[in-house]
Amino acid sequence: IDIDAFIDETRAAQHRTYEATLAVLGIAGVLAIAIAVALLLRVPERLRRAYAEQEQEAQASRALAHVSEAVFLVGDDERVRYWNRAAEQLFGVDADSAVGQPARGVVVDYDELVDAADAGDQFVPVVLESSERWLVPVVRRFDGGSVVAVRDATSAYALERARTDFVATASHEL
């Protein structure tokens, strides 16, 4: 075996391996730069959209905090996801205690309120703080849960009942 030929052949093989490695690394570098550029072009837009969505949600939460009706969001898992100040006042449960809990455990007569809203019943009697209250529920379902709005209509119910009693008494007297 000729040592000089063997050394030359080995050097040539090493040189080919070196060139192939450089080519592979070059291609990998170009691909990495292409991916980085693609990410630089797409990520800021996605972040802007995500920020805009969060800002919309925050604005909706701020708006619902000032609504006079009790409004709460119930997820498909039937856990409370949002609870406004009016809900705190009506049901006597603060938002920190309500959010994340099952709606049935937080809202008095939750099933009756939802059933009444589905049936279109105008007034639902509920005992809150050991007094009978007449509530008007509205439920709107969407993909992912439902929004429940409840208005305390105790005074309106009393007025309607007084009107009905008056009409019945007047009709009877006539």
Side-chain angles (χ1 to χ4, degrees):
I1 298 180
D2 186 16
I3 294 285
D4 290 333
F6 177 73
I7 291 173
D8 288 341
E9 193 177 303
T10 304
R11 280 189 184 149
Q14 283 179 340
H15 189 70
R16 285 191 302 273
T17 303
Y18 174 74
E19 287 176 344
T21 303
L22 284 180
V24 168
L25 288 175
I27 291 170
V30 168
L31 287 175
I33 289 171
I35 290 171
V37 167
L39 288 174
L40 284 173
L41 294 175
R42 296 183 86 196
V43 167
E45 177 60 24
R46 285 189 179 179
L47 287 174
R48 187 196 63 71
R49 272 189 272 160
Y51 177 76
E53 288 173 10
Q54 286 180 343
E55 185 62 27
Q56 273 185 326
E57 289 175 12
Q59 287 176 356
S61 291
R62 284 193 293 274
L64 288 174
H66 300 289
V67 172
S68 62
E69 293 181 345
V71 178
F72 52 97
L73 174 70
V74 179
D76 280 339
D77 60 356
E78 298 206 353
R79 292 189 176 275
V80 175
R81 299 290 175 222
Y82 175 79
W83 190 260
N84 74 347
R85 281 187 226 161
E88 287 180 350
Q89 293 170 349
L90 181 63
F91 294 106
V93 178
D94 64 276
D96 292 335
S97 300
V99 174
Q101 299 301 315
R104 286 178 183 80
V106 177
V107 179
V108 176
D109 294 333
Y110 174 75
D111 290 324
E112 288 81 2
L113 289 170
V114 171
D115 291 344
D118 290 342
D121 293 344
Q122 191 171 9
F123 298 108
V124 179
V126 174
V127 176
L128 295 171
E129 299 174 3
S130 58
S131 67
E132 185 177 61
R133 310 295 287 268
W134 292 85
L135 306 179
V136 177
V138 176
V139 177
R140 294 292 182 252
R141 289 173 180 76
F142 62 92
D143 190 30
S146 57
V147 174
V148 181
V150 179
R151 181 172 50 90
D152 185 354
T154 303
S155 58
Y157 177 78
L159 184 62
E160 179 64 23
R161 186 143 185 200
R163 185 190 69 76
T164 303
D165 290 347
F166 174 76
V167 169
T169 302
S171 296
H172 178 72
E173 292 297 322
L174 289 175

